[in-house]
Amino acid sequence: MRWLLDEMLPQTLAQQLTELDHDAVSVHDVELAGAADNDVFELAVLQERLIVTENFADFARLLEERQNSGAPCVPIVFVRKSSFPRGGGLAAHLAKHLDKWARDHQDPYVGPYWP
């Protein structure tokens, strides 16, 4: 799976997913930390990456606007960090969770997901 991880997620999550044979980058890795959400969405479309974010309000709106206008879209996986253990283990736990989700959804449709 090809992932683009939004800025509120641990930067080490990309490395954890890569170790699980995924192609993952953080917005920090591609110099989009602090960028507009639309810019993040555009890069995901350009690179055919699924977006992983906690930012439901903005990305759900962007997805709906883009789908309604016929603009290219990608699947978005929404996560809640509060659903995972606190502390230094967040990236590892989230990576395992996303890895399992990817195995269960090998060809995800464009739309929102709540794994």
Side-chain angles (χ1 to χ4, degrees), residues 1 3 7 12 20 30 40-41 45 56 58 71 75 78 90-91 97 106 108 114:
M1 193 75 56
W3 305 100
E7 64 189 335
T12 57
L20 293 170
V30 293
V40 173
F41 206 117
V45 168
F56 176 76
D58 294 331
F78 294 103
L90 176 61
H97 189 76
Q106 293 184 19
W114 290 92

Short mmCIF file of all heavy atoms in Angstrom, two decimals, residues 1 3 7 12 20 30 40-41 45 56 58 71 75 78 90-91 97 106 108 114:
data_model
loop_
_atom_site.label_atom_id
_atom_site.label_comp_id
_atom_site.label_asym_id
_atom_site.label_seq_id
_atom_site.Cartn_x
_atom_site.Cartn_y
_atom_site.Cartn_z
N MET A 1 0.85 -1.17 0.00
CA MET A 1 0.00 0.00 0.00
C MET A 1 0.90 1.23 0.00
O MET A 1 1.96 1.24 0.61
CB MET A 1 -0.88 -0.07 1.25
CG MET A 1 -2.04 0.87 1.29
SD MET A 1 -3.48 0.52 0.27
CE MET A 1 -3.99 -1.11 0.75
N TRP A 3 1.13 5.01 1.22
CA TRP A 3 0.54 5.88 2.23
C TRP A 3 1.16 7.27 2.20
O TRP A 3 2.36 7.41 1.99
CB TRP A 3 0.79 5.31 3.62
CG TRP A 3 0.36 3.92 3.89
CD1 TRP A 3 1.15 2.80 3.89
CD2 TRP A 3 -0.95 3.47 4.23
NE1 TRP A 3 0.40 1.70 4.22
CE2 TRP A 3 -0.89 2.07 4.42
CE3 TRP A 3 -2.19 4.12 4.39
CZ2 TRP A 3 -2.00 1.32 4.78
CZ3 TRP A 3 -3.28 3.36 4.75
CH2 TRP A 3 -3.19 1.98 4.94
N GLU A 7 0.43 15.40 9.10
CA GLU A 7 1.42 15.91 10.04
C GLU A 7 1.14 15.63 11.51
O GLU A 7 2.07 15.67 12.32
CB GLU A 7 1.61 17.41 9.84
CG GLU A 7 0.39 18.25 10.13
CD GLU A 7 0.59 19.69 9.71
OE1 GLU A 7 1.74 20.16 9.65
OE2 GLU A 7 -0.42 20.36 9.44
N THR A 12 7.79 8.83 12.64
CA THR A 12 8.37 7.48 12.61
C THR A 12 7.39 6.43 12.08
O THR A 12 7.80 5.31 11.76
CB THR A 12 8.85 7.06 14.00
OG1 THR A 12 7.74 7.13 14.92
CG2 THR A 12 9.98 7.95 14.48
N LEU A 20 7.22 -2.84 7.23
CA LEU A 20 6.18 -3.84 7.01
C LEU A 20 5.85 -3.97 5.51
O LEU A 20 4.79 -4.45 5.14
CB LEU A 20 4.91 -3.46 7.80
CG LEU A 20 5.04 -3.53 9.32
CD1 LEU A 20 3.83 -2.91 10.00
CD2 LEU A 20 5.24 -4.97 9.77
N VAL A 30 8.28 15.09 2.78
CA VAL A 30 8.15 15.71 1.46
C VAL A 30 7.93 17.22 1.58
O VAL A 30 7.41 17.86 0.66
CB VAL A 30 7.01 15.04 0.65
CG1 VAL A 30 7.37 13.61 0.31
CG2 VAL A 30 5.68 15.11 1.39
N VAL A 40 -1.75 18.77 0.38
CA VAL A 40 -1.50 17.38 0.80
C VAL A 40 -2.33 16.44 -0.06
O VAL A 40 -1.83 15.43 -0.56
CB VAL A 40 -1.81 17.21 2.30
CG1 VAL A 40 -1.72 15.74 2.71
CG2 VAL A 40 -0.86 18.06 3.14
N PHE A 41 -3.59 16.79 -0.26
CA PHE A 41 -4.49 15.96 -1.07
C PHE A 41 -3.95 15.87 -2.50
O PHE A 41 -3.94 14.78 -3.10
CB PHE A 41 -5.89 16.56 -1.07
CG PHE A 41 -6.99 15.56 -1.30
CD1 PHE A 41 -7.93 15.33 -0.32
CD2 PHE A 41 -7.09 14.86 -2.48
CE1 PHE A 41 -8.95 14.41 -0.52
CE2 PHE A 41 -8.10 13.94 -2.69
CZ PHE A 41 -9.03 13.71 -1.70
N VAL A 45 -2.92 12.45 -4.61
CA VAL A 45 -3.48 12.10 -5.91
C VAL A 45 -2.36 11.90 -6.92
O VAL A 45 -2.32 10.90 -7.65
CB VAL A 45 -4.48 13.18 -6.41
CG1 VAL A 45 -4.83 12.98 -7.87
CG2 VAL A 45 -5.73 13.17 -5.53
N PHE A 56 -10.53 14.73 10.39
CA PHE A 56 -11.76 14.34 9.70
C PHE A 56 -12.46 15.55 9.09
O PHE A 56 -12.88 15.51 7.93
CB PHE A 56 -12.71 13.60 10.64
CG PHE A 56 -14.01 13.26 9.98
CD1 PHE A 56 -14.10 12.21 9.08
CD2 PHE A 56 -15.15 14.01 10.23
CE1 PHE A 56 -15.29 11.91 8.44
CE2 PHE A 56 -16.35 13.72 9.61
CZ PHE A 56 -16.42 12.66 8.70
N ASP A 58 -11.65 18.55 7.93
CA ASP A 58 -11.13 19.17 6.71
C ASP A 58 -11.01 18.18 5.55
O ASP A 58 -11.38 18.49 4.42
CB ASP A 58 -9.77 19.82 6.97
CG ASP A 58 -9.89 21.00 7.92
OD1 ASP A 58 -10.95 21.65 7.95
OD2 ASP A 58 -8.92 21.28 8.64
N ALA A 71 -13.11 15.89 -9.59
CA ALA A 71 -11.65 15.96 -9.48
C ALA A 71 -11.12 14.60 -9.01
O ALA A 71 -11.81 13.85 -8.33
CB ALA A 71 -11.24 17.05 -8.49
N PRO A 75 -8.44 7.29 -1.58
CA PRO A 75 -9.05 6.90 -0.31
C PRO A 75 -8.38 7.64 0.85
O PRO A 75 -7.20 7.99 0.78
CB PRO A 75 -8.74 5.40 -0.22
CG PRO A 75 -8.49 4.97 -1.63
CD PRO A 75 -7.85 6.14 -2.29
N PHE A 78 -9.08 7.55 8.18
CA PHE A 78 -9.13 8.42 9.36
C PHE A 78 -8.81 7.59 10.59
O PHE A 78 -9.34 6.50 10.77
CB PHE A 78 -10.52 9.04 9.50
CG PHE A 78 -10.85 10.00 8.40
CD1 PHE A 78 -11.70 9.62 7.38
CD2 PHE A 78 -10.31 11.27 8.38
CE1 PHE A 78 -12.02 10.50 6.35
CE2 PHE A 78 -10.61 12.16 7.35
CZ PHE A 78 -11.48 11.77 6.33
N LEU A 90 3.12 4.54 19.96
CA LEU A 90 2.03 4.88 19.04
C LEU A 90 2.33 4.47 17.60
O LEU A 90 1.51 3.83 16.94
CB LEU A 90 1.71 6.37 19.11
CG LEU A 90 0.65 6.85 18.11
CD1 LEU A 90 -0.68 6.14 18.34
CD2 LEU A 90 0.48 8.35 18.18
N ALA A 91 3.51 4.81 17.11
CA ALA A 91 3.84 4.52 15.71
C ALA A 91 3.80 3.01 15.44
O ALA A 91 3.24 2.57 14.43
CB ALA A 91 5.21 5.08 15.35
N HIS A 97 -1.75 -1.78 12.95
CA HIS A 97 -3.18 -1.62 12.65
C HIS A 97 -3.40 -1.30 11.17
O HIS A 97 -4.26 -1.90 10.52
CB HIS A 97 -3.74 -0.51 13.54
CG HIS A 97 -5.21 -0.37 13.49
ND1 HIS A 97 -6.06 -1.25 14.12
CD2 HIS A 97 -5.99 0.54 12.87
CE1 HIS A 97 -7.31 -0.87 13.90
NE2 HIS A 97 -7.29 0.21 13.15
N GLN A 106 -7.19 -4.68 0.07
CA GLN A 106 -6.10 -4.60 -0.90
C GLN A 106 -6.41 -3.71 -2.10
O GLN A 106 -5.50 -3.25 -2.77
CB GLN A 106 -5.71 -6.00 -1.34
CG GLN A 106 -5.09 -6.77 -0.19
CD GLN A 106 -4.59 -8.13 -0.60
OE1 GLN A 106 -4.37 -8.40 -1.77
NE2 GLN A 106 -4.37 -8.99 0.37
N PRO A 108 -8.76 -0.67 -2.12
CA PRO A 108 -9.78 0.19 -1.51
C PRO A 108 -10.42 1.15 -2.52
O PRO A 108 -9.76 1.63 -3.44
CB PRO A 108 -9.00 0.96 -0.46
CG PRO A 108 -7.60 0.97 -0.95
CD PRO A 108 -7.42 -0.32 -1.70
N TRP A 114 -12.69 4.20 8.33
CA TRP A 114 -12.44 4.30 9.77
C TRP A 114 -11.99 2.93 10.23
O TRP A 114 -12.81 2.10 10.61
CB TRP A 114 -13.70 4.70 10.53
CG TRP A 114 -14.11 6.10 10.29
CD1 TRP A 114 -14.97 6.56 9.35
CD2 TRP A 114 -13.65 7.26 10.99
NE1 TRP A 114 -15.09 7.92 9.42
CE2 TRP A 114 -14.29 8.37 10.42
CE3 TRP A 114 -12.76 7.44 12.04
CZ2 TRP A 114 -14.07 9.66 10.87
CZ3 TRP A 114 -12.54 8.73 12.50
CH2 TRP A 114 -13.19 9.82 11.92
#
